[in-house]
């Protein structure tokens, strides 16, 4: 056995994995754009999250994506940007990201990951059509729960940490344990940099959006035009609505971030996204400091005054989609593409050094 081969076999597993990826990589990737769904075709019909990127960035080249929900990825060889539609839900997201990072065609150790998807928004935080960069992701799906008819009178809601028995369990349990992963903090400097780069953008404001937010009397943030914001996302696959659930979401984010976080948006896939990337980062296959998460508001997560939660659910379903769906899809590309193009076009600056807000 040659000395070089022996040394390679004796190297730590992450180093061997990284060396193997580098040796077999054929397609250079500077940025991975991650979306969660496409409705029909990737071009030419009703757009999902993926289609706008495919048509406008553009991502013309098709690549097979074995082991993923969508089955294909898209690529721009000039920008060296790879796009993927993971499929909805944390399970689809985690499996798609894992399949991507393990794909021998790519060396993603220096690649940036930008998740750009739609979400619900708290009317106490912002308005429909807005774009929100997330400093943190909080797991809203892992908990103990008591039926609403049996909640103790002195509890704010029926949810407790899975590691405890009261909503206000103290001390706050570990964020990462055998029980699961409750919260992730993204690279603060990178998040602030992306926000600073995009905060002055003027987002689409339609007649329909103005009519939607006019209903939210008493909610000052909800009545503002769409804008680029900073706020935390709550991730869970139950599609919840209503003022009481919104109050739980605000409390849950506050609890797990020890008062530092602000609940802004609610979506499904973000915890699966961060879990998969965190494990692959441990193996040396990607850099967790190069991850960004952008959510654009397609709907409010609670009804306006005078409407019940059930009314809101019915109206959203009967309209054939979320109230601000198309503007939110447009905003995800408009805001996200500014960051993606900046990273890609100035790769000599960002390949070795992750940008930080001044």
């Amino acid at each position: 056995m040659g000395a070089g081969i022996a040394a390679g076999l004796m190297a730590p597993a992450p180093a061997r994995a990284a060396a193997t990826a580098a040796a077999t990589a054929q397609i250079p990737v500077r940025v991975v754009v991650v979306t969660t769904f496409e409705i029909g075709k990737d071009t030419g019909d009703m757009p999902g999250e993926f289609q706008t990127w495919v048509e406008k960035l553009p991502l013309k080249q098709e690549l097979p994506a074995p082991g993923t929900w969508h089955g294909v990825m898209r690529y721009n060889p000039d920008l060296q940007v790879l796009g993927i539609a993971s499929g909805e839900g944390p399970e689809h997201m985690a499996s798609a990201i894992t399949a991507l990072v393990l794909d021998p065609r790519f060396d993603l150790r220096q690649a940036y990951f930008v998740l750009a998807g739609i979400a619900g928004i708290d009317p106490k935080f912002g308005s429909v059509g807005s774009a929100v960069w997330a400093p943190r992701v909080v797991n809203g799906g892992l908990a103990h729960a008591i039926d609403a008819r049996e909640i103790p009178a002195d509890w704010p809601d029926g949810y407790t940490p899975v590691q405890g028995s009261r909503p206000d369990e103290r001390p706050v349990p570990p964020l990462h344990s055998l029980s699961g992963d409750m919260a992730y903090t993204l690279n603060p400097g990178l998040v602030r940099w992306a926000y600073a780069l995009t905060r002055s953008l003027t987002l689409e404001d339609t007649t329909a959006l103005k009519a939607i937010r006019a209903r939210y009397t008493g909610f000052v943030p909800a009545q503002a035009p769409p804008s680029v914001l900073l706020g935390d996302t709550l991730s869970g696959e139950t599609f919840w609505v209503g003022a009481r659930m919104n109050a739980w979401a605000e409390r849950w984010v506050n609890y797990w971030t020890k008062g530092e976080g602000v609940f802004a948006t609610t979506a499904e896939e973000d915890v699966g996204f961060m879990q998969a990337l965190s494990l692959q980062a441990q193996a040396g296959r990607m850099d967790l400091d190069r991850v960004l998460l952008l959510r654009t508001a397609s709907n409010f997560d609670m009804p306006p005054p005078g409407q019940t939660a059930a009314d809101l659910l019915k109206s959203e379903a009967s309209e054939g989609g979320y109230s601000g769906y198309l503007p939110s899809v447009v905003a995800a590309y408009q805001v996200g593409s500014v960051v993606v193009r900046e990273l890609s076009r100035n790769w000599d600056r960002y390949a070795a050094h992750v940008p930080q807000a001044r």
Side-chain angles (χ1 to χ4, degrees):
M1 181 181 292
I5 296 175
L9 291 176
M10 294 174 63
R16 292 202 306 273
T20 300
T24 58
Q26 301 173 359
I27 303 172
V29 178
R30 296 173 179 176
V31 184
V32 179
V33 174
V34 180
T35 65
T36 71
F37 72 93
E38 188 49 59
I39 296 173
K41 299 178 181 179
D42 287 351
T43 61
D45 58 4
M46 178 70 173
E49 292 175 351
F50 195 40
Q51 182 169 309
T52 308
W53 289 90
V54 172
E55 293 179 340
K56 291 188 176 182
L57 193 64
L59 298 169
K60 292 184 177 180
Q61 184 177 340
E62 284 194 16
L63 300 173
T68 70
W69 167 83
H70 197 52
V72 296
M73 294 177 283
R74 293 282 191 144
Y75 183 66
N76 182 313
D78 297 322
L79 294 174
Q80 296 183 10
V81 173
L82 182 69
I84 184 171
S86 68
E88 292 194 59
E91 297 90 355
H92 274 143
M93 175 62 76
S95 61
I97 291 297
T98 301
L100 170 63
V101 179
L102 292 177
D103 193 315
R105 292 173 293 176
F106 312 110
D107 178 359
L108 301 176
R109 289 174 295 165
Q110 288 186 303
Y112 292 84
F113 287 75
V114 180
L115 191 161
I118 65 173
I121 195 166
D122 183 350
K124 300 177 187 177
F125 177 85
S127 60
V128 171
S130 292
V132 187
W133 293 105
R136 302 171 191 83
V137 175
V138 175
N139 191 339
L142 182 60
H144 286 147
I146 293 178
D147 186 280
R149 292 161 292 188
E150 299 178 302
I151 298 173
D154 60 340
W155 285 20
D157 50 64
Y159 290 86
T160 80
V162 75
Q163 308 97 318
S165 60
R166 290 189 55 82
D168 58 350
E169 188 77 27
R170 291 291 187 273
V172 176
L175 298 183
H176 306 284
S177 69
L178 180 64
S179 299
D181 301 297
M182 294 308 307
Y184 294 89
T185 297
L186 284 74
N187 181 343
L190 178 63
V191 174
R192 289 195 300 269
W193 172 83
Y195 172 65
L197 198 64
T198 57
R199 64 184 299 179
S200 62
L201 292 174
T202 300
L203 304 185
E204 180 179 21
D205 190 12
T206 65
T207 301
L209 287 180
K210 293 175 183 177
I212 294 163
R213 64 178 185 257
R215 305 171 194 162
Y216 283 79
T217 54
F219 294 86
V220 175
Q223 295 188 310
S227 61
V228 180
L229 304 165
L230 273 174
D232 299 317
T233 186
L234 182 69
S235 176
E237 46 184 340
T238 298
F239 282 77
W240 53 266
V241 297
R244 290 182 181 273
M245 292 300 299
N246 186 79
W248 159 76
E250 292 173 345
R251 180 187 73 79
W252 200 247
V253 169
N254 181 275
Y255 175 82
W256 286 109
T257 63
K258 298 182 179 179
E260 296 181 3
V262 177
F263 169 59
T265 59
T266 175
E268 288 186 272
E269 298 81 13
D270 308 51
V271 160
F273 179 65
M274 295 303 299
Q275 284 174 330
L277 288 178
S278 295
L279 292 173
Q280 295 307 315
Q282 289 178 26
R285 300 187 182 103
M286 59 80 57
D287 182 354
L288 206 58
D289 280 338
R290 296 176 178 236
V291 177
L292 287 165
L293 202 159
L294 176 69
R295 285 291 182 175
T296 55
S298 61
N299 60 291
F300 289 114
D301 65 15
M302 59 178 283
Q307 188 180 53
T308 68
D311 289 337
L312 176 62
L313 187 61
K314 181 180 179 180
S315 66
E316 293 288 357
S318 63
E319 288 171 3
Y322 299 121
S323 51
Y325 171 72
L326 287 176
S328 69
V329 169
V330 171
Y333 173 78
Q334 180 186 355
V335 177
S337 64
V338 171
V339 169
V340 170
R341 290 182 184 277
E342 172 66 19
L343 291 169
S344 176
R345 289 173 172 170
N346 296 285
W347 191 241
D348 57 337
R349 186 186 310 167
Y350 302 125
H353 301 286
V354 178
Q356 304 286 307
R358 296 177 182 177

